[in-house]
Amino acid sequence: MRLLKVATCNLNQWAMDFDCNLKHIKDSITRAKEVGAVIRLGPELEITGYGCEDHFLELDTVNHAWECLKEILLGDWTDGILCSIGMPIIRGSERYNCQVLCFNRKIVMIRPKMWLANDGNYRELRWFTTWKQKDQLVEFQIPPEISEALSQNLVPFGYGYIQFLDTAVAAEICEELFTPNPPHTELALNGVEVFLNASGSHHQLRKLDLRLRAFIGATYTRGGVYMYSNHQGCDGARLYYDGCSCVVVNGEVVAQGSQFSLKDVEVVVAQVDLDAVASLRGSISSFQEQASCKTKVSSVTVPYNICKPFNLKMLLSSPQKIMYHSPEEEIAFGPGCWLWDYLRRSGASGFLLPLSGGADSSCVAAIVGCMCQLVVKEIANGDEQVKADAMRIGNYTDGKFPTDSKEFAKRIFYTVYMGSENSSEATKTRAKVLADEIGSWHLDVCIDGVVSSLLSLFQTVTGKRPRYKVDGGSNVENLGLQNIQARIRMVLAFMLASLLPWVHNKKGFYLVLGSSNVDEALRGYLTKYDCSAADINPIGSISKQDLWTFLRWAANHLGYSSLAEIEAAPPTAELEPIRSNYSQLDEVDMGMTYEELSVYGRLRKIFRCGPVSMFKNLCYKWGATLTPSEVADKVKHFFKYYSINRHKMTVLTPSYHAESYSPEDNRFDLRQFLYNARWPYQFRKMDELVQEMNGDRVAFKETGEDGGTAAGGGGMGVVAAASGNPKAGF
């Protein structure tokens, strides 16, 4: 047996906070050494933080990273342990995203990333270049000040692996694993047994399974020990890095870290037998054949044994069942942990939420309540950092600290129901009951006086007073009156957030939480500078359907039973007067259902469909119940309002990223915001297709054939079968 103890970690880094990041790195190395690990893997760009973005273009960022690495190497942290540390490095005139492999106070080699993440939320090619010289390792001159301190001038730089006396180790950085021809394939044929994947991977609903399947697949058919390390937490922007560092051996997970946690440092340890890797490879004929004619990869020799012989006191890590959270748990824990990081790092002393008693704002309230529960639980588990942060934010004195989530919520969470003459007693009651269940400090405010004053001012200036549509007003008047209420609520929310700390004799300010969802943002069914205006929004990238499911789950699992009644109520903005024969409903206002919106959103973003492609695909999906003309009308209606309202995305509240069809304009969904909303060319093409299809249907009927739409195949290849329900999710 060749026994090897390895350690990977989740680190909660903060972009550009070098003191914080260095502390976490040292702590993780110390913990790894304490348990006897001889390899420690950290996440991608861990010294600087992954989310530095254009700060990577600053020489200071690279220089500070070198200074931090120097401090690590001058101490005893790397004595007897191979440490893979992520940082940016400049070689000549190029900047690279690198893993620096260190051992016994020396840099063994520097491995630059060869394939950069450059889609979705990632823009690595903006800051880094890819390493293209795969056939050799080159010499890299360490910066003079660092070189002098380390007594080391040159170090191998490039694509290769480290050859110890008893095994071989190589790095594979994040995106490289997911390329069509990943490096681990070639490295395995060259005898590499341990793979180190440093990553900066963000949370997205239902994504973890895809990631873990990649690790399992990397070693299932070719053998190996695959170590994965990831950031965990909010490092300063919209993404939540969801940890789940793990160790996989020959296609089986033997150690797995948490996906969501308030911990700053979590070390995941595994003890493996490398002879099991050699045995598997030796049993696969095709592996033997391909290894015999492999392309040689360069290596760096380190004359040192890192494995231990057979010892009954050293227990091997056994395969374990993979831990997956349900989507409802992901919505609770991911945004909850993200909010905690934002709160404790922003200098704020609490959250303020306009709580309407509707589904969306109630989801946000429940997530904050979940955050408070997580804080109290982590303090009970002995986390001193969480305890110190909670005591500071909650203004605890005399050594007291949170022991009850409701009591803690009362100190840091403020909710306000801003009702008007259009609000119902039902939503007012629901907001109050939910606030009591969570423990928030709740206010009930009537905005009618402010609305009336503004309308009187408008009447004085113009001589006219607008009326609601139900009272005989026009659509323009109706919309204007709704927007006035919404924007008054925004102004009042920010005033309360600024001044309530003064009222409560607290330092700092309160962060205003938004509560618009991804579907309403896509359609533009929100008021610019109301629902689009808050400090942060934990649900802005979550679909309405997922939020409804979350409400049902949270009613049972978080202890907020009133959420069940909120989920059952029909969604309404309550911005128009309630009459015996009229009640405002969101889906009626939008002219489409939330389920349909999810379909449009996924086709538009995930499957990259324009109006014509979307129409073709929906003819297959909805053809059993809708005619081509009806499908065309629905697609036109969606694209009309999507394009008219796209400008609202430019000021959309920074939102937790959770959904792959988010229309968020700042980072993820980059498109124009001034459209020709008539889409003349595209809609004309759709009309032509409708005419052709109607003609085909007539021809089918004349020949006695079934005029129904085919139920499978064809089209753009996106939709495989027709659905009998035009409201069905995609």
Side-chain angles (χ1 to χ4, degrees), residues 380-448:
N381 290 337
D383 193 310
E384 292 298 322
Q385 184 60 59
V386 173
K387 180 179 176 180
D389 288 333
M391 291 173 64
R392 172 179 54 83
I393 297 167
N395 201 26
Y396 287 89
T397 57
D398 300 326
K400 295 180 181 179
F401 56 87
T403 57
D404 178 79
S405 63
K406 290 183 68 172
E407 186 275 335
F408 183 54
K410 184 73 72 175
R411 290 172 174 262
I412 61 99
F413 187 32
Y414 305 86
T415 52
V416 53
Y417 180 84
M418 293 183 273
S420 73
E421 62 182 359
N422 303 320
S423 303
S424 67
E425 194 64 32
T427 55
K428 178 180 178 180
T429 301
R430 290 182 201 129
K432 178 66 169 65
V433 171
L434 179 59
D436 290 341
E437 289 178 341
I438 294 170
S440 67
W441 195 86
H442 189 67
L443 282 174
D444 183 356
V445 178
C446 180
I447 64 170
D448 286 338

Side-chain angles (χ1 to χ4, degrees), residues 162-178:
I162 299 175
Q163 182 65 63
F164 288 95
L165 294 177
D166 48 7
T167 190
V169 181
E172 181 172 71
I173 307 173
C174 197
E175 177 73 10
E176 294 174 348
L177 169 65
F178 302 97

Side-chain angles (χ1 to χ4, degrees), residues 108-134:
V108 177
M109 71 173 288
I110 298 174
R111 165 65 155 84
K113 194 171 181 179
M114 297 187 295
W115 307 109
L116 298 172
N118 207 59
D119 55 10
N121 286 295
Y122 298 103
R123 298 287 182 275
E124 290 185 13
L125 278 170
R126 180 180 174 96
W127 312 299
F128 303 108
T129 189
T130 57
W131 179 253
K132 301 174 180 68
Q133 301 178 44
K134 289 187 60 177

Side-chain angles (χ1 to χ4, degrees), residues 82 143 154 163 273 275 284 332 350 393 447 490-491 511 518 520 523 576 578 587 647:
L82 176 68
L154 300 173
Q163 182 65 63
D273 176 18
D275 277 356
I284 303 173
I393 297 167
I447 64 170
M490 178 206 71
V491 174
L511 291 164
V518 69
E520 289 167 351
R523 163 63 170 74
E576 296 182 64
I578 300 173
E587 291 183 329
H647 64 96

Side-chain angles (χ1 to χ4, degrees), residues 9 14 86 123 198 251 349 475 548 561 609 629 687 692:
C9 57
W14 191 2
R123 298 287 182 275
S349 50
N475 285 329
W548 277 327
S561 59
C609 287
S629 179
D687 291 338
E692 291 177 14

